[in-house]
C-alpha cells in the first residue's frame, strides 16, 4: 500500500523517534513492504518512518534506481531498525541532496564519507557495519529523520537564508509533488 509522505512543517518530522519494540509492531513486515512501495512510487532512494507519520526508529534504503550512477556495492536494498551511528569518519564531502518531504528542493550538504552503524535488520537480527560513499550519505540522511532533523538543517547558513521562503511555503502547503503527500499541522 502506498502511504502518504509527510511534508516539511509536519510536527512528526521534528520528533526524535522511539525504538521499535517488535511486540508492539506485529505488522512490521507489512509496514516495511509499504515503505518500500511508497519510496519506489515517489522515485526515492530512502524513506524513514517519520516521513510516513510514524515516530519510530525505522528507515529503508533502496539504491537500485541509481545503480548506474553509484555502482559500488550495488544493488543495495536494506532496512534499518533502532539504528545508532556510533562512528563517523573519512573526508567531509559536499553533495547535493533532496528529500521526499521537501519535493523539488535540492541543496548541498556536507557529510562524513564513512560511518559505522549498529541496527536490527528486517528480521530483527543485530548488525554492526561500516558504510562509505553514497550508501553512507543516504543512511546519514535517513538517520537524521529518526532524530528529528531534516537535510535543510545541515545546509550552509547563507543558503538557508536564501531558501527560507521556500521552507515557509512547504509548511503552508504550497508545493507540488507527483506522489501522495500529507501536511499535518
Amino acid at each position: 500500500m502506498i502511504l502518504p509522505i509527510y511534508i516539511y512543517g509536519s510536527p512528526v518530522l521534528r520528533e526524535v523517534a522511539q525504538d521499535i519494540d517488535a511486540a508492539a509492531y506485529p505488522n512490521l513486515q507489512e509496514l516495511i513492504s509499504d515503505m518500500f512501495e511508497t519510496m519506489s512510487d515517489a522515485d526515492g532512494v530512502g524513506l524513514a518512518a517519520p516521513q510516513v507519520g510514524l515516530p519510530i526508529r525505522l528507515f529503508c534504503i533502496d539504491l537500485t534506481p541509481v545503480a548506474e550512477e553509484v555502482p559500488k556495492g550495488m544493488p543495495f536494498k536494506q532496512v534499518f531498525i533502532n539504528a545508532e551511528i556510533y562512528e563517523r569518519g573519512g573526508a567531509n564531502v559536499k553533495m547535493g541532496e533532496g528529500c521526499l518531504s521537501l519535493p523539488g528542493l535540492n541543496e548541498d550538504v556536507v557529510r562524513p564519507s564513512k560511518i559505522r552503524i549498529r541496527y536490527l535488520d528486517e528480521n530483527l537480527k543485530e548488525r554492526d557495519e561500516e558504510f562509505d560513499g553514497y550508501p553512507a550519505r543516504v543512511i546519514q540522511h535517513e538517520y537524521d529523520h529518526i532524530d528529528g532533523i531534516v537535510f535543510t538543517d545541515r545546509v550552509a547558513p547563507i543558503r538557508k537564508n536564501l531558501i527560507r521562503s521556500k521552507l515557509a511555503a512547504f509548511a503552508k502547503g504550497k508545493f507540488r509533488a507527483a506522489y501522495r503527500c500529507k501536511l499535518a499541522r
Side-chain angles (χ1 to χ4, degrees):
M1 176 173 67
I2 296 171
L3 306 169
I5 295 174
Y6 283 60
I7 298 299
Y8 182 89
S10 299
V12 70
L13 296 177
R14 293 303 191 173
E15 289 181 42
V16 175
Q18 300 299 308
D19 279 351
I20 293 176
D21 174 1
Y25 280 90
N27 297 328
L28 183 60
Q29 295 304 316
E30 183 180 337
L31 172 60
I32 290 168
S33 176
D34 290 348
M35 287 180 65
F36 275 118
E37 185 178 355
T38 300
M39 178 176 42
S40 176
D41 179 69
D43 292 326
V45 294
L47 186 66
Q51 291 179 276
V52 293
L54 299 171
I56 56 175
R57 296 186 78 78
L58 165 65
F59 59 90
C60 303
I61 294 175
D62 184 359
L63 300 183
T64 307
V66 295
E68 290 179 14
E69 297 170 36
V70 190
K72 184 180 179 185
M74 292 300 160
F76 184 95
K77 186 174 181 178
Q78 214 154 329
V79 174
F80 296 80
I81 300 170
N82 299 344
E84 176 196 2
I85 294 176
Y86 65 92
E87 190 177 307
R88 298 173 195 255
N92 286 328
V93 178
K94 183 192 291 189
M95 182 182 243
E97 290 188 20
C99 181
L100 296 176
S101 292
L102 292 130
L105 183 65
N106 292 286
E107 292 291 330
D108 286 339
V109 176
V110 176
R111 295 191 188 271
S113 62
K114 293 182 181 181
I115 60 165
R116 283 204 66 84
I117 185 170
R118 282 187 278 269
Y119 65 98
L120 302 175
D121 66 15
E122 67 275 9
N123 299 312
L124 302 176
K125 182 180 176 189
E126 290 183 22
R127 304 269 186 181
D128 188 323
E129 296 184 81
E130 181 176 298
F131 296 95
D132 65 355
Y134 194 68
R137 174 169 292 276
V138 177
I139 290 167
Q140 289 175 85
H141 177 107
E142 299 309 326
Y143 184 86
D144 277 354
H145 278 300
I146 64 174
D147 276 346
I149 298 167
V150 293
F151 84 98
T152 54
D153 296 340
R154 300 197 182 279
V155 170
I158 193 163
R159 284 298 307 158
K160 193 159 186 177
N161 279 335
L162 293 172
I163 63 171
R164 189 173 306 218
S165 64
K166 288 181 183 179
L167 296 176
F170 281 115
K172 292 177 184 172
K174 296 178 182 176
F175 62 89
R176 289 181 188 213
Y179 45 88
R180 191 170 163 212
C181 297
K182 183 170 185 170
L183 181 63
R185 297 174 198 209

